[in-house]
Coordinates of all heavy atoms in Angstrom, one line a residue:
P30 N 2.6 20.9 6.8 CA 2.5 22.2 6.1 C 3.9 22.6 5.7 O 4.9 22.1 6.2 CB 2.0 23.1 7.2 CG 1.6 22.3 8.3 CD 2.3 21.0 8.2
I31 N 4.0 23.5 4.7 CA 5.3 24.0 4.4 C 5.4 25.3 5.3 O 4.5 26.0 5.4 CB 5.5 24.3 2.9 CG1 4.3 25.0 2.3 CG2 5.8 22.9 2.2 CD1 4.6 25.4 0.8
F32 N 6.6 25.4 5.9 CA 6.7 26.4 7.0 C 7.2 27.7 6.4 O 8.0 27.7 5.5 CB 7.7 25.9 8.0 CG 7.2 24.6 8.7 CD1 7.5 23.4 8.2 CD2 6.4 24.7 9.9 CE1 7.0 22.2 8.8 CE2 5.9 23.6 10.5 CZ 6.2 22.4 9.9
Y33 N 6.7 28.8 7.0 CA 7.3 30.1 6.6 C 8.7 30.2 7.1 O 8.9 30.2 8.4 CB 6.4 31.2 7.2 CG 5.0 31.4 6.7 CD1 3.9 31.4 7.5 CD2 4.8 31.6 5.3 CE1 2.6 31.5 7.1 CE2 3.5 31.7 4.8 CZ 2.4 31.7 5.7 OH 1.2 31.8 5.2
H39 N 10.7 26.3 15.7 CA 10.7 26.1 17.2 C 10.0 24.8 17.6 O 9.5 24.1 16.7 CB 10.2 27.3 17.9 CG 8.8 27.7 17.5 ND1 7.7 27.0 17.9 CD2 8.3 28.7 16.7 CE1 6.6 27.5 17.3 NE2 6.9 28.5 16.6
G41 N 7.1 24.3 18.9 CA 5.7 24.2 18.4 C 5.6 23.8 17.0 O 4.8 22.9 16.6
T42 N 6.4 24.4 16.1 CA 6.3 24.0 14.7 C 6.9 22.6 14.5 O 6.5 21.9 13.6 CB 7.1 25.0 13.8 OG1 8.3 25.3 14.3 CG2 6.3 26.3 13.6
Y44 N 6.3 20.1 16.2 CA 5.4 19.0 16.6 C 4.8 18.4 15.3 O 4.8 17.1 15.2 CB 4.3 19.5 17.5 CG 3.2 18.5 17.7 CD1 3.5 17.4 18.5 CD2 2.1 18.5 16.9 CE1 2.6 16.3 18.6 CE2 1.1 17.4 17.0 CZ 1.4 16.4 17.9 OH 0.5 15.3 17.9
T45 N 4.3 19.2 14.4 CA 3.6 18.6 13.2 C 4.6 17.7 12.5 O 4.2 16.6 12.0 CB 3.2 19.7 12.2 OG1 2.8 20.8 12.9 CG2 2.2 19.2 11.2
D70 N 7.6 27.6 2.8 CA 6.6 28.4 2.1 C 7.3 29.8 2.0 O 7.2 30.6 2.9 CB 5.4 28.5 3.0 CG 4.2 29.2 2.3 OD1 4.3 29.7 1.2 OD2 3.1 29.2 3.0
W247 N -1.1 31.7 -0.4 CA -1.8 30.5 0.0 C -2.1 29.6 -1.1 O -2.0 28.4 -1.1 CB -3.0 30.8 0.9 CG -2.7 30.8 2.3 CD1 -2.5 31.8 3.2 CD2 -2.4 29.6 3.1 NE1 -2.2 31.4 4.4 CE2 -2.1 30.1 4.5 CE3 -2.4 28.2 2.9 CZ2 -1.8 29.2 5.5 CZ3 -2.1 27.4 4.0 CH2 -1.8 27.9 5.2
A250 N 1.1 28.1 -2.1 CA 1.7 27.2 -1.1 C 0.9 25.8 -1.2 O 1.6 24.7 -1.1 CB 1.6 27.8 0.3
L251 N -0.4 25.8 -1.2 CA -1.1 24.6 -1.2 C -0.7 23.7 -2.4 O -0.7 22.4 -2.2 CB -2.6 24.9 -1.3 CG -3.2 25.5 0.0 CD1 -4.5 26.2 -0.2 CD2 -3.3 24.5 1.1
N253 N 2.0 23.0 -3.4 CA 3.2 22.2 -3.2 C 3.0 20.7 -3.1 O 3.8 19.9 -3.4 CB 4.0 22.7 -1.9 CG 3.5 22.0 -0.7 OD1 4.1 21.0 -0.3 ND2 2.5 22.5 0.0
Y254 N 1.8 20.4 -2.5 CA 1.5 19.0 -2.3 C 1.5 18.1 -3.6 O 1.6 16.9 -3.5 CB 0.2 18.8 -1.5 CG 0.2 19.5 -0.2 CD1 -0.9 20.4 0.2 CD2 1.2 19.3 0.7 CE1 -0.9 21.0 1.4 CE2 1.2 19.9 2.0 CZ 0.1 20.8 2.3 OH 0.1 21.4 3.5
M277 N -1.5 19.1 10.1 CA -1.3 20.5 10.3 C -1.9 20.9 11.6 O -2.6 20.2 12.3 CB -2.0 21.3 9.2 CG -3.5 21.3 9.3 SD -4.3 21.6 7.8 CE -3.8 20.2 6.8
G278 N -1.5 22.2 12.0 CA -2.1 22.7 13.2 C -3.5 23.3 12.9 O -3.9 23.5 11.7
K279 N -4.3 23.4 14.0 CA -5.7 23.8 13.8 C -5.9 25.1 13.1 O -6.9 25.3 12.4 CB -6.5 23.8 15.1 CG -5.9 24.8 16.1 CD -6.6 24.7 17.4 CE -6.0 25.7 18.4 NZ -6.6 25.6 19.7
D280 N -4.9 26.0 13.2 CA -5.1 27.4 12.6 C -5.2 27.4 11.1 O -5.7 28.3 10.5 CB -4.0 28.3 13.0 CG -2.6 27.7 12.9 OD1 -2.5 26.4 13.0 OD2 -1.6 28.4 12.6
I281 N -4.7 26.3 10.4 CA -4.7 26.4 9.0 C -5.5 25.3 8.3 O -5.4 25.0 7.1 CB -3.2 26.3 8.4 CG1 -2.5 25.1 8.9 CG2 -2.4 27.6 8.9 CD1 -1.1 24.9 8.2
H285 N -6.9 24.3 4.1 CA -6.7 22.9 3.6 C -8.1 22.2 3.4 O -8.2 21.2 2.6 CB -5.9 22.0 4.5 CG -4.4 22.4 4.5 ND1 -3.9 23.5 5.1 CD2 -3.4 21.8 3.8 CE1 -2.6 23.5 4.9 NE2 -2.3 22.5 4.1
H307 N -4.3 19.2 14.3 CA -4.0 19.0 15.7 C -4.0 20.3 16.5 O -4.1 21.4 15.8 CB -2.6 18.3 15.9 CG -1.5 19.1 15.3 ND1 -1.0 20.3 15.9 CD2 -0.7 18.8 14.2 CE1 0.0 20.7 15.1 NE2 0.2 19.9 14.1
G308 N -3.9 20.2 17.8 CA -4.0 21.5 18.6 C -2.6 22.2 18.6 O -1.7 21.8 17.8
W309 N -2.5 23.2 19.4 CA -1.2 23.9 19.5 C -0.5 23.6 20.7 O -1.1 23.1 21.7 CB -1.5 25.4 19.6 CG -2.0 26.1 18.4 CD1 -1.7 25.7 17.1 CD2 -2.7 27.3 18.3 NE1 -2.3 26.6 16.2 CE2 -2.9 27.6 16.9 CE3 -3.2 28.2 19.2 CZ2 -3.5 28.7 16.5 CZ3 -3.9 29.3 18.8 CH2 -4.1 29.5 17.4
F310 N 0.8 23.8 20.7 CA 1.5 23.8 22.0 C 1.5 25.2 22.6 O 1.8 26.2 21.9 CB 3.0 23.4 21.8 CG 3.1 21.9 22.0 CD1 3.2 21.0 21.0 CD2 3.1 21.4 23.3 CE1 3.3 19.6 21.2 CE2 3.2 20.1 23.6 CZ 3.3 19.2 22.5
K317 N 0.0 30.5 22.7 CA 0.6 29.6 21.8 C 2.1 29.9 21.8 O 2.5 31.0 21.9 CB 0.0 30.0 20.4 CG 0.6 29.1 19.3 CD -0.1 29.6 18.0 CE 0.5 29.0 16.8 NZ 0.3 29.7 15.5
I318 N 2.9 28.8 21.7 CA 4.3 29.0 21.6 C 4.6 29.6 20.2 O 4.2 29.0 19.2 CB 5.0 27.6 21.7 CG1 4.7 26.9 23.0 CG2 6.5 27.7 21.4 CD1 5.8 26.7 23.8
S319 N 5.2 30.7 20.2 CA 5.6 31.3 18.9 C 6.6 32.3 19.1 O 6.8 32.9 20.1 CB 4.3 31.9 18.2 OG 4.0 33.1 18.8
M348 N 0.3 15.9 23.3 CA -0.8 16.5 22.5 C -1.9 15.5 22.3 O -1.9 14.6 21.5 CB -0.2 16.9 21.1 CG -1.1 17.6 20.2 SD -1.3 19.3 20.7 CE 0.0 20.1 19.7
Ligands
MSP28 N1 3.1 28.5 5.5 C1 1.9 28.1 6.2 C2 1.4 26.7 5.8 C3 1.3 26.5 4.4 S1 0.8 24.8 4.0 C4 0.4 24.8 2.4 C5 2.0 28.2 7.7 N2 3.3 28.2 8.1 S2 3.7 28.3 9.6 O1 5.1 28.2 9.6 O2 3.1 29.5 10.2 O3 3.1 27.2 10.5 C6 3.3 25.8 10.1 C7 2.6 24.9 11.1 O4 3.2 25.0 12.4 C8 1.1 25.1 11.2 O5 0.5 23.8 11.1 C9 0.9 25.6 12.6 O6 -0.3 25.2 13.1 C10 2.1 24.9 13.3 N3 2.4 25.6 14.5 C11 3.0 26.8 14.7 N4 3.1 27.1 16.0 C12 2.6 26.0 16.7 C13 2.5 25.6 18.1 N5 2.8 26.5 19.0 N6 2.0 24.4 18.4 C14 1.7 23.5 17.4 N7 1.8 23.8 16.1 C15 2.2 25.0 15.7 O7 1.0 28.3 8.4

Side-chain angles (χ1 to χ4, degrees):
I31 47 174
F32 297 88
Y33 291 127
H39 58 74
T42 45
Y44 173 76
T45 322
D70 186 358
W247 265 103
L251 289 161
N253 91 87
Y254 300 129
M277 70 204 67
K279 60 183 179 182
D280 48 329
I281 59 172
H285 287 79
H307 58 72
W309 284 337
F310 264 103
K317 181 183 174 198
I318 299 241
S319 75
M348 186 75 89

